[in-house]
Amino acid sequence: MANKFNIATQKSSFATVLAQLHTQTAQQEKMQIEMNNIKYKLEQASKTLAQKDLLIDSLEMDLEHMIDQLVKMQHGRKQCDSKQQWMSRGLPGLNTEVNNHVVA
C-alpha cells in the first residue's frame, strides 16, 4: 500500500512538474513576444532618431549657408555705402552749389 502511495505521489509530483514546465514555457513565449515587440519599437525609434539627426544636420548646414550669405551681403552693402560716401563728398575747390548740382 505504501508502494501505491509512493507511486501516486510520484505521479502527482510529475504532473505538477509538467504543469509548471508548461506554464514556464508559455510565460517564456509571452516574454519572447514582448521582447520582439520592444526590439521592433527600439529599431523604429532608432530609425526615426537617425532621420531627425539628418534633418537637423541639413538645417544646420542651411543656417550656416544663410549666415554666410548675410555676412557677404552686409560686407557688400558696407562697400557700396563707402563708395557712395566717396561719391557724395564735396569736390575740392568748388562751391557747394556746384557740388550739389553734380551729385544730383
Short mmCIF file of all heavy atoms in Angstrom, two decimals, residues 34-99:
data_model
loop_
_atom_site.label_atom_id
_atom_site.label_comp_id
_atom_site.label_asym_id
_atom_site.label_seq_id
_atom_site.Cartn_x
_atom_site.Cartn_y
_atom_site.Cartn_z
N GLU A 34 7.03 39.73 -26.22
CA GLU A 34 7.20 41.08 -25.69
C GLU A 34 8.57 41.64 -26.06
O GLU A 34 8.68 42.80 -26.46
CB GLU A 34 7.06 41.07 -24.16
CG GLU A 34 5.76 41.65 -23.66
CD GLU A 34 5.72 41.69 -22.14
OE1 GLU A 34 6.34 42.60 -21.55
OE2 GLU A 34 5.08 40.80 -21.57
N MET A 35 9.59 40.82 -25.91
CA MET A 35 10.95 41.27 -26.27
C MET A 35 11.05 41.60 -27.74
O MET A 35 11.68 42.60 -28.12
CB MET A 35 11.98 40.20 -25.89
CG MET A 35 12.33 40.22 -24.42
SD MET A 35 13.56 39.00 -23.91
CE MET A 35 14.81 39.10 -25.14
N ASN A 36 10.41 40.81 -28.58
CA ASN A 36 10.42 41.09 -30.02
C ASN A 36 9.71 42.41 -30.32
O ASN A 36 10.17 43.18 -31.17
CB ASN A 36 9.78 39.95 -30.80
CG ASN A 36 10.65 38.70 -30.83
OD1 ASN A 36 11.85 38.78 -30.56
ND2 ASN A 36 10.06 37.56 -31.13
N ASN A 37 8.59 42.65 -29.63
CA ASN A 37 7.86 43.92 -29.81
C ASN A 37 8.72 45.10 -29.38
O ASN A 37 8.79 46.13 -30.07
CB ASN A 37 6.54 43.91 -29.03
CG ASN A 37 5.49 43.06 -29.69
OD1 ASN A 37 5.55 42.80 -30.89
ND2 ASN A 37 4.53 42.60 -28.91
N ILE A 38 9.38 44.95 -28.24
CA ILE A 38 10.24 46.03 -27.74
C ILE A 38 11.41 46.25 -28.70
O ILE A 38 11.76 47.40 -28.99
CB ILE A 38 10.72 45.70 -26.31
CG1 ILE A 38 9.55 45.79 -25.34
CG2 ILE A 38 11.85 46.64 -25.88
CD1 ILE A 38 9.86 45.26 -23.95
N LYS A 39 11.98 45.17 -29.19
CA LYS A 39 13.09 45.28 -30.13
C LYS A 39 12.65 46.01 -31.40
O LYS A 39 13.35 46.89 -31.90
CB LYS A 39 13.62 43.89 -30.48
CG LYS A 39 14.84 43.89 -31.34
CD LYS A 39 15.32 42.46 -31.59
CE LYS A 39 16.51 42.43 -32.52
NZ LYS A 39 16.97 41.08 -32.80
N TYR A 40 11.46 45.68 -31.90
CA TYR A 40 10.93 46.34 -33.09
C TYR A 40 10.72 47.83 -32.82
O TYR A 40 11.09 48.68 -33.65
CB TYR A 40 9.61 45.68 -33.51
CG TYR A 40 8.92 46.38 -34.63
CD1 TYR A 40 9.37 46.24 -35.95
CD2 TYR A 40 7.83 47.20 -34.40
CE1 TYR A 40 8.75 46.89 -36.99
CE2 TYR A 40 7.20 47.87 -35.44
CZ TYR A 40 7.65 47.70 -36.73
OH TYR A 40 7.05 48.36 -37.76
N LYS A 41 10.14 48.15 -31.67
CA LYS A 41 9.90 49.56 -31.33
C LYS A 41 11.21 50.31 -31.19
O LYS A 41 11.32 51.47 -31.62
CB LYS A 41 9.08 49.67 -30.04
CG LYS A 41 7.63 49.28 -30.22
CD LYS A 41 6.86 49.37 -28.92
CE LYS A 41 5.42 48.92 -29.10
NZ LYS A 41 4.67 48.97 -27.84
N LEU A 42 12.22 49.67 -30.61
CA LEU A 42 13.54 50.31 -30.49
C LEU A 42 14.14 50.57 -31.87
O LEU A 42 14.75 51.62 -32.10
CB LEU A 42 14.48 49.44 -29.67
CG LEU A 42 14.40 49.61 -28.16
CD1 LEU A 42 15.23 48.54 -27.45
CD2 LEU A 42 14.89 50.98 -27.76
N GLU A 43 14.01 49.61 -32.76
CA GLU A 43 14.53 49.79 -34.12
C GLU A 43 13.83 50.96 -34.81
O GLU A 43 14.47 51.77 -35.48
CB GLU A 43 14.36 48.51 -34.94
CG GLU A 43 15.30 47.40 -34.54
CD GLU A 43 14.99 46.08 -35.24
OE1 GLU A 43 14.01 46.00 -36.01
OE2 GLU A 43 15.75 45.11 -35.01
N GLN A 44 12.51 51.04 -34.64
CA GLN A 44 11.76 52.14 -35.25
C GLN A 44 12.18 53.47 -34.66
O GLN A 44 12.36 54.46 -35.38
CB GLN A 44 10.24 51.92 -35.06
CG GLN A 44 9.69 50.73 -35.82
CD GLN A 44 9.94 50.83 -37.31
OE1 GLN A 44 9.71 51.86 -37.92
NE2 GLN A 44 10.42 49.76 -37.89
N ALA A 45 12.34 53.51 -33.34
CA ALA A 45 12.77 54.75 -32.68
C ALA A 45 14.17 55.14 -33.14
O ALA A 45 14.45 56.32 -33.36
CB ALA A 45 12.73 54.57 -31.16
N SER A 46 15.03 54.15 -33.32
CA SER A 46 16.38 54.41 -33.79
C SER A 46 16.37 54.99 -35.20
O SER A 46 17.09 55.95 -35.50
CB SER A 46 17.20 53.12 -33.76
OG SER A 46 18.49 53.34 -34.22
N LYS A 47 15.54 54.43 -36.07
CA LYS A 47 15.42 54.95 -37.44
C LYS A 47 14.90 56.38 -37.43
O LYS A 47 15.40 57.25 -38.14
CB LYS A 47 14.49 54.07 -38.27
CG LYS A 47 15.10 52.74 -38.66
CD LYS A 47 14.11 51.90 -39.45
CE LYS A 47 14.67 50.51 -39.76
NZ LYS A 47 13.69 49.68 -40.48
N THR A 48 13.88 56.62 -36.62
CA THR A 48 13.30 57.96 -36.52
C THR A 48 14.34 58.95 -36.01
O THR A 48 14.47 60.06 -36.53
CB THR A 48 12.08 57.96 -35.57
OG1 THR A 48 11.11 57.04 -36.08
CG2 THR A 48 11.45 59.33 -35.46
N LEU A 49 15.11 58.54 -35.02
CA LEU A 49 16.16 59.40 -34.47
C LEU A 49 17.21 59.70 -35.52
O LEU A 49 17.68 60.85 -35.64
CB LEU A 49 16.79 58.71 -33.27
CG LEU A 49 17.05 59.62 -32.10
CD1 LEU A 49 15.92 59.43 -31.10
CD2 LEU A 49 18.36 59.29 -31.48
N ALA A 50 17.59 58.70 -36.29
CA ALA A 50 18.59 58.89 -37.35
C ALA A 50 18.07 59.87 -38.40
O ALA A 50 18.82 60.75 -38.87
CB ALA A 50 18.95 57.56 -37.99
N GLN A 51 16.79 59.75 -38.76
CA GLN A 51 16.20 60.67 -39.73
C GLN A 51 16.19 62.10 -39.18
O GLN A 51 16.49 63.06 -39.89
CB GLN A 51 14.78 60.24 -40.08
CG GLN A 51 14.72 58.99 -40.93
CD GLN A 51 13.29 58.50 -41.13
OE1 GLN A 51 12.37 58.87 -40.39
NE2 GLN A 51 13.11 57.64 -42.11
N LYS A 52 15.86 62.23 -37.90
CA LYS A 52 15.83 63.55 -37.29
C LYS A 52 17.24 64.14 -37.21
O LYS A 52 17.42 65.34 -37.41
CB LYS A 52 15.18 63.49 -35.90
CG LYS A 52 13.68 63.28 -35.98
CD LYS A 52 13.03 63.28 -34.62
CE LYS A 52 11.53 63.08 -34.78
NZ LYS A 52 10.84 63.15 -33.49
N ASP A 53 18.23 63.31 -36.93
CA ASP A 53 19.62 63.78 -36.91
C ASP A 53 20.02 64.30 -38.29
O ASP A 53 20.66 65.35 -38.40
CB ASP A 53 20.56 62.65 -36.48
CG ASP A 53 20.63 62.48 -34.98
OD1 ASP A 53 20.15 63.37 -34.24
OD2 ASP A 53 21.16 61.43 -34.54
N LEU A 54 19.65 63.55 -39.34
CA LEU A 54 19.96 64.01 -40.69
C LEU A 54 19.28 65.34 -41.00
O LEU A 54 19.88 66.23 -41.60
CB LEU A 54 19.55 62.95 -41.72
CG LEU A 54 20.39 61.69 -41.78
CD1 LEU A 54 19.76 60.67 -42.73
CD2 LEU A 54 21.80 62.02 -42.23
N LEU A 55 18.03 65.46 -40.58
CA LEU A 55 17.29 66.70 -40.81
C LEU A 55 17.93 67.86 -40.06
O LEU A 55 18.10 68.95 -40.62
CB LEU A 55 15.83 66.51 -40.37
CG LEU A 55 14.91 67.71 -40.57
CD1 LEU A 55 14.78 68.03 -42.05
CD2 LEU A 55 13.55 67.42 -39.98
N ILE A 56 18.32 67.62 -38.82
CA ILE A 56 18.97 68.67 -38.03
C ILE A 56 20.29 69.08 -38.67
O ILE A 56 20.60 70.27 -38.78
CB ILE A 56 19.16 68.21 -36.57
CG1 ILE A 56 17.81 68.18 -35.85
CG2 ILE A 56 20.14 69.12 -35.82
CD1 ILE A 56 17.84 67.53 -34.49
N ASP A 57 21.07 68.10 -39.12
CA ASP A 57 22.34 68.40 -39.79
C ASP A 57 22.10 69.24 -41.05
O ASP A 57 22.82 70.21 -41.31
CB ASP A 57 23.08 67.12 -40.16
CG ASP A 57 23.65 66.41 -38.94
OD1 ASP A 57 23.74 67.03 -37.86
OD2 ASP A 57 24.01 65.21 -39.08
N SER A 58 21.09 68.87 -41.80
CA SER A 58 20.76 69.61 -43.01
C SER A 58 20.33 71.04 -42.68
O SER A 58 20.76 71.99 -43.34
CB SER A 58 19.64 68.89 -43.77
OG SER A 58 19.22 69.65 -44.87
N LEU A 59 19.52 71.19 -41.65
CA LEU A 59 19.09 72.53 -41.24
C LEU A 59 20.27 73.36 -40.75
O LEU A 59 20.34 74.56 -41.02
CB LEU A 59 18.02 72.43 -40.15
CG LEU A 59 16.65 71.92 -40.62
CD1 LEU A 59 15.75 71.68 -39.42
CD2 LEU A 59 16.01 72.90 -41.59
N GLU A 60 21.20 72.72 -40.04
CA GLU A 60 22.39 73.45 -39.58
C GLU A 60 23.21 73.94 -40.77
O GLU A 60 23.69 75.08 -40.77
CB GLU A 60 23.25 72.55 -38.68
CG GLU A 60 22.70 72.36 -37.30
CD GLU A 60 23.53 71.41 -36.45
OE1 GLU A 60 24.38 70.67 -37.01
OE2 GLU A 60 23.33 71.40 -35.22
N MET A 61 23.36 73.08 -41.77
CA MET A 61 24.11 73.49 -42.96
C MET A 61 23.41 74.64 -43.67
O MET A 61 24.06 75.60 -44.11
CB MET A 61 24.29 72.30 -43.90
CG MET A 61 25.28 71.28 -43.39
SD MET A 61 25.39 69.79 -44.42
CE MET A 61 25.85 70.47 -46.00
N ASP A 62 22.09 74.55 -43.79
CA ASP A 62 21.32 75.63 -44.42
C ASP A 62 21.49 76.94 -43.65
O ASP A 62 21.66 78.01 -44.24
CB ASP A 62 19.84 75.27 -44.52
CG ASP A 62 19.56 74.20 -45.56
OD1 ASP A 62 20.46 73.89 -46.36
OD2 ASP A 62 18.43 73.65 -45.55
N LEU A 63 21.44 76.84 -42.33
CA LEU A 63 21.57 78.03 -41.49
C LEU A 63 22.96 78.64 -41.64
O LEU A 63 23.11 79.86 -41.77
CB LEU A 63 21.30 77.66 -40.03
CG LEU A 63 21.22 78.81 -39.03
CD1 LEU A 63 20.13 79.78 -39.42
CD2 LEU A 63 20.97 78.27 -37.64
N GLU A 64 24.00 77.80 -41.64
CA GLU A 64 25.35 78.30 -41.84
C GLU A 64 25.49 78.98 -43.19
O GLU A 64 26.11 80.05 -43.31
CB GLU A 64 26.36 77.16 -41.72
CG GLU A 64 26.55 76.65 -40.31
CD GLU A 64 27.43 75.41 -40.23
OE1 GLU A 64 27.94 74.96 -41.29
OE2 GLU A 64 27.59 74.89 -39.12
N HIS A 65 24.89 78.40 -44.21
CA HIS A 65 24.94 78.99 -45.55
C HIS A 65 24.22 80.35 -45.55
O HIS A 65 24.73 81.33 -46.13
CB HIS A 65 24.30 78.05 -46.57
CG HIS A 65 24.28 78.58 -47.95
ND1 HIS A 65 25.41 78.72 -48.73
CD2 HIS A 65 23.24 79.05 -48.71
CE1 HIS A 65 25.08 79.24 -49.90
NE2 HIS A 65 23.78 79.44 -49.91
N MET A 66 23.07 80.40 -44.91
CA MET A 66 22.32 81.67 -44.86
C MET A 66 23.12 82.73 -44.12
O MET A 66 23.15 83.89 -44.54
CB MET A 66 20.96 81.45 -44.17
CG MET A 66 19.97 80.70 -45.03
SD MET A 66 18.44 80.27 -44.15
CE MET A 66 17.88 81.85 -43.60
N ILE A 67 23.77 82.35 -43.02
CA ILE A 67 24.58 83.31 -42.27
C ILE A 67 25.73 83.82 -43.14
O ILE A 67 26.02 85.02 -43.17
CB ILE A 67 25.08 82.68 -40.95
CG1 ILE A 67 23.91 82.49 -39.98
CG2 ILE A 67 26.17 83.53 -40.31
CD1 ILE A 67 24.24 81.67 -38.75
N ASP A 68 26.38 82.89 -43.84
CA ASP A 68 27.46 83.30 -44.74
C ASP A 68 26.96 84.28 -45.79
O ASP A 68 27.63 85.29 -46.09
CB ASP A 68 28.08 82.08 -45.44
CG ASP A 68 28.93 81.24 -44.51
OD1 ASP A 68 29.31 81.73 -43.42
OD2 ASP A 68 29.23 80.07 -44.88
N GLN A 69 25.80 83.99 -46.36
CA GLN A 69 25.24 84.89 -47.38
C GLN A 69 24.91 86.25 -46.79
O GLN A 69 25.16 87.29 -47.42
CB GLN A 69 23.98 84.26 -48.01
CG GLN A 69 24.25 83.02 -48.83
CD GLN A 69 25.20 83.29 -49.97
OE1 GLN A 69 25.06 84.27 -50.70
NE2 GLN A 69 26.19 82.42 -50.13
N LEU A 70 24.36 86.27 -45.58
CA LEU A 70 24.04 87.55 -44.94
C LEU A 70 25.31 88.35 -44.64
O LEU A 70 25.33 89.57 -44.83
CB LEU A 70 23.26 87.31 -43.63
CG LEU A 70 21.81 86.89 -43.80
CD1 LEU A 70 21.21 86.51 -42.45
CD2 LEU A 70 21.01 88.02 -44.43
N VAL A 71 26.36 87.66 -44.20
CA VAL A 71 27.63 88.34 -43.94
C VAL A 71 28.17 88.93 -45.25
O VAL A 71 28.63 90.09 -45.27
CB VAL A 71 28.65 87.37 -43.30
CG1 VAL A 71 30.04 87.96 -43.30
CG2 VAL A 71 28.22 87.02 -41.88
N LYS A 72 28.09 88.17 -46.33
CA LYS A 72 28.57 88.67 -47.63
C LYS A 72 27.73 89.88 -48.07
O LYS A 72 28.27 90.86 -48.58
CB LYS A 72 28.49 87.57 -48.69
CG LYS A 72 29.56 86.53 -48.56
CD LYS A 72 29.40 85.46 -49.61
CE LYS A 72 30.44 84.34 -49.42
NZ LYS A 72 30.25 83.26 -50.39
N MET A 73 26.42 89.79 -47.88
CA MET A 73 25.55 90.91 -48.26
C MET A 73 25.87 92.14 -47.42
O MET A 73 25.92 93.26 -47.95
CB MET A 73 24.08 90.52 -48.08
CG MET A 73 23.57 89.56 -49.13
SD MET A 73 21.89 88.95 -48.81
CE MET A 73 20.96 90.45 -48.71
N GLN A 74 26.09 91.95 -46.13
CA GLN A 74 26.42 93.08 -45.27
C GLN A 74 27.75 93.70 -45.68
O GLN A 74 27.89 94.92 -45.75
CB GLN A 74 26.53 92.61 -43.81
CG GLN A 74 25.44 93.09 -42.93
CD GLN A 74 25.63 92.64 -41.49
OE1 GLN A 74 26.43 91.76 -41.20
NE2 GLN A 74 24.87 93.23 -40.60
N HIS A 75 28.72 92.84 -45.97
CA HIS A 75 30.02 93.32 -46.41
C HIS A 75 29.88 94.10 -47.72
O HIS A 75 30.46 95.17 -47.89
CB HIS A 75 30.99 92.16 -46.57
CG HIS A 75 32.37 92.56 -46.94
ND1 HIS A 75 33.20 93.23 -46.07
CD2 HIS A 75 33.08 92.41 -48.09
CE1 HIS A 75 34.35 93.47 -46.67
NE2 HIS A 75 34.30 92.98 -47.90
N GLY A 76 29.10 93.55 -48.65
CA GLY A 76 28.85 94.22 -49.92
C GLY A 76 28.14 95.54 -49.73
O GLY A 76 28.45 96.54 -50.38
N ARG A 77 27.20 95.59 -48.82
CA ARG A 77 26.45 96.82 -48.55
C ARG A 77 27.39 97.87 -47.95
O ARG A 77 27.31 99.05 -48.29
CB ARG A 77 25.28 96.55 -47.61
CG ARG A 77 24.40 97.77 -47.40
CD ARG A 77 23.17 97.47 -46.58
NE ARG A 77 22.30 96.60 -47.35
CZ ARG A 77 21.52 95.66 -46.81
NH1 ARG A 77 21.50 95.50 -45.51
NH2 ARG A 77 20.76 94.90 -47.56
N LYS A 78 28.27 97.43 -47.05
CA LYS A 78 29.22 98.38 -46.45
C LYS A 78 30.14 98.96 -47.53
O LYS A 78 30.44 100.15 -47.53
CB LYS A 78 30.05 97.70 -45.36
CG LYS A 78 29.29 97.49 -44.08
CD LYS A 78 30.16 96.83 -43.02
CE LYS A 78 29.37 96.55 -41.76
NZ LYS A 78 30.17 95.86 -40.74
N GLN A 79 30.58 98.10 -48.46
CA GLN A 79 31.43 98.59 -49.54
C GLN A 79 30.66 99.57 -50.42
O GLN A 79 31.18 100.58 -50.83
CB GLN A 79 31.95 97.42 -50.38
CG GLN A 79 33.07 96.67 -49.74
CD GLN A 79 33.62 95.58 -50.65
OE1 GLN A 79 32.96 95.17 -51.60
NE2 GLN A 79 34.82 95.09 -50.34
N CYS A 80 29.41 99.24 -50.70
CA CYS A 80 28.58 100.11 -51.53
C CYS A 80 28.35 101.44 -50.83
O CYS A 80 28.43 102.50 -51.45
CB CYS A 80 27.25 99.41 -51.83
SG CYS A 80 26.20 100.33 -52.97
N ASP A 81 28.09 101.41 -49.52
CA ASP A 81 27.89 102.64 -48.75
C ASP A 81 29.14 103.49 -48.75
O ASP A 81 29.09 104.72 -48.90
CB ASP A 81 27.48 102.32 -47.30
CG ASP A 81 26.04 101.80 -47.20
OD1 ASP A 81 25.29 101.94 -48.20
OD2 ASP A 81 25.69 101.25 -46.14
N SER A 82 30.31 102.84 -48.61
CA SER A 82 31.56 103.61 -48.60
C SER A 82 31.81 104.24 -49.97
O SER A 82 32.33 105.34 -50.07
CB SER A 82 32.74 102.74 -48.16
OG SER A 82 33.02 101.76 -49.13
N LYS A 83 31.44 103.55 -51.05
CA LYS A 83 31.60 104.11 -52.39
C LYS A 83 30.69 105.32 -52.56
O LYS A 83 31.08 106.33 -53.13
CB LYS A 83 31.29 103.07 -53.46
CG LYS A 83 32.38 102.06 -53.68
CD LYS A 83 31.99 101.08 -54.77
CE LYS A 83 33.04 99.99 -54.92
NZ LYS A 83 32.63 98.99 -55.92
N GLN A 84 29.44 105.20 -52.06
CA GLN A 84 28.51 106.31 -52.19
C GLN A 84 28.98 107.49 -51.35
O GLN A 84 28.82 108.64 -51.74
CB GLN A 84 27.11 105.89 -51.79
CG GLN A 84 26.43 105.06 -52.84
CD GLN A 84 24.99 104.76 -52.50
OE1 GLN A 84 24.49 105.16 -51.46
NE2 GLN A 84 24.31 104.07 -53.39
N GLN A 85 29.57 107.22 -50.20
CA GLN A 85 30.10 108.32 -49.39
C GLN A 85 31.22 109.01 -50.14
O GLN A 85 31.36 110.23 -50.11
CB GLN A 85 30.60 107.80 -48.04
CG GLN A 85 29.49 107.43 -47.09
CD GLN A 85 30.02 106.81 -45.80
OE1 GLN A 85 31.21 106.55 -45.67
NE2 GLN A 85 29.12 106.56 -44.85
N TRP A 86 32.05 108.24 -50.80
CA TRP A 86 33.14 108.81 -51.59
C TRP A 86 32.59 109.66 -52.72
O TRP A 86 33.06 110.75 -52.99
CB TRP A 86 34.02 107.69 -52.13
CG TRP A 86 35.07 108.16 -53.07
CD1 TRP A 86 35.07 108.07 -54.42
CD2 TRP A 86 36.27 108.84 -52.72
NE1 TRP A 86 36.20 108.62 -54.94
CE2 TRP A 86 36.96 109.12 -53.92
CE3 TRP A 86 36.82 109.26 -51.51
CZ2 TRP A 86 38.17 109.79 -53.94
CZ3 TRP A 86 38.04 109.92 -51.54
CH2 TRP A 86 38.70 110.18 -52.75
N MET A 87 31.53 109.16 -53.37
CA MET A 87 30.95 109.88 -54.49
C MET A 87 30.22 111.14 -54.03
O MET A 87 30.19 112.14 -54.74
CB MET A 87 29.96 108.98 -55.25
CG MET A 87 30.59 107.76 -55.88
SD MET A 87 31.67 108.19 -57.22
CE MET A 87 30.47 108.50 -58.49
N SER A 88 29.64 111.13 -52.84
CA SER A 88 28.83 112.26 -52.42
C SER A 88 29.62 113.30 -51.65
O SER A 88 29.09 114.32 -51.27
CB SER A 88 27.67 111.76 -51.55
OG SER A 88 28.17 111.19 -50.35
N ARG A 89 30.90 113.10 -51.45
CA ARG A 89 31.68 114.12 -50.74
C ARG A 89 31.90 115.31 -51.67
O ARG A 89 31.86 115.18 -52.90
CB ARG A 89 32.99 113.54 -50.22
CG ARG A 89 34.04 113.31 -51.26
CD ARG A 89 35.36 112.97 -50.56
NE ARG A 89 36.47 112.85 -51.44
CZ ARG A 89 37.06 113.83 -52.11
NH1 ARG A 89 36.60 115.04 -52.02
NH2 ARG A 89 38.10 113.61 -52.89
N GLY A 90 32.13 116.41 -51.08
CA GLY A 90 32.32 117.64 -51.86
C GLY A 90 33.56 117.59 -52.72
O GLY A 90 34.56 116.98 -52.36
N LEU A 91 33.48 118.23 -53.87
CA LEU A 91 34.63 118.31 -54.75
C LEU A 91 35.53 119.44 -54.26
O LEU A 91 35.05 120.52 -53.92
CB LEU A 91 34.21 118.56 -56.19
CG LEU A 91 33.35 117.46 -56.82
CD1 LEU A 91 32.87 117.92 -58.19
CD2 LEU A 91 34.14 116.19 -56.94
N PRO A 92 36.81 119.19 -54.20
CA PRO A 92 37.69 120.26 -53.69
C PRO A 92 37.74 121.45 -54.65
O PRO A 92 37.74 121.29 -55.86
CB PRO A 92 39.05 119.57 -53.61
CG PRO A 92 38.97 118.38 -54.49
CD PRO A 92 37.52 118.00 -54.58
N GLY A 93 37.71 122.63 -54.05
CA GLY A 93 37.88 123.85 -54.84
C GLY A 93 36.61 124.35 -55.48
O GLY A 93 36.59 125.39 -56.10
N LEU A 94 35.49 123.66 -55.37
CA LEU A 94 34.24 124.15 -55.96
C LEU A 94 33.28 124.53 -54.85
O LEU A 94 33.32 123.99 -53.75
CB LEU A 94 33.61 123.08 -56.85
CG LEU A 94 34.41 122.63 -58.06
CD1 LEU A 94 33.69 121.52 -58.79
CD2 LEU A 94 34.65 123.79 -59.02
N ASN A 95 32.39 125.46 -55.16
CA ASN A 95 31.44 125.85 -54.12
C ASN A 95 30.36 124.80 -53.96
O ASN A 95 30.20 123.91 -54.78
CB ASN A 95 30.87 127.25 -54.41
CG ASN A 95 30.02 127.26 -55.67
OD1 ASN A 95 29.47 126.23 -56.06
ND2 ASN A 95 29.90 128.41 -56.30
N THR A 96 29.56 124.86 -52.91
CA THR A 96 28.58 123.83 -52.57
C THR A 96 27.45 123.76 -53.58
O THR A 96 26.88 122.70 -53.78
CB THR A 96 28.00 124.08 -51.17
OG1 THR A 96 27.45 125.39 -51.12
CG2 THR A 96 29.05 123.89 -50.11
N GLU A 97 27.11 124.86 -54.26
CA GLU A 97 26.02 124.79 -55.23
C GLU A 97 26.42 123.89 -56.40
O GLU A 97 25.63 123.08 -56.86
CB GLU A 97 25.70 126.20 -55.76
CG GLU A 97 24.96 127.06 -54.78
CD GLU A 97 24.69 128.43 -55.35
OE1 GLU A 97 24.69 128.61 -56.58
OE2 GLU A 97 24.45 129.35 -54.55
N VAL A 98 27.64 124.01 -56.82
CA VAL A 98 28.12 123.16 -57.91
C VAL A 98 28.19 121.72 -57.45
O VAL A 98 27.82 120.81 -58.15
CB VAL A 98 29.49 123.66 -58.43
CG1 VAL A 98 30.06 122.70 -59.46
CG2 VAL A 98 29.39 125.07 -58.98
N ASN A 99 28.65 121.52 -56.22
CA ASN A 99 28.71 120.16 -55.66
C ASN A 99 27.34 119.52 -55.62
O ASN A 99 27.17 118.37 -55.98
CB ASN A 99 29.30 120.18 -54.24
CG ASN A 99 30.80 120.34 -54.24
OD1 ASN A 99 31.45 120.10 -55.25
ND2 ASN A 99 31.34 120.75 -53.10
#
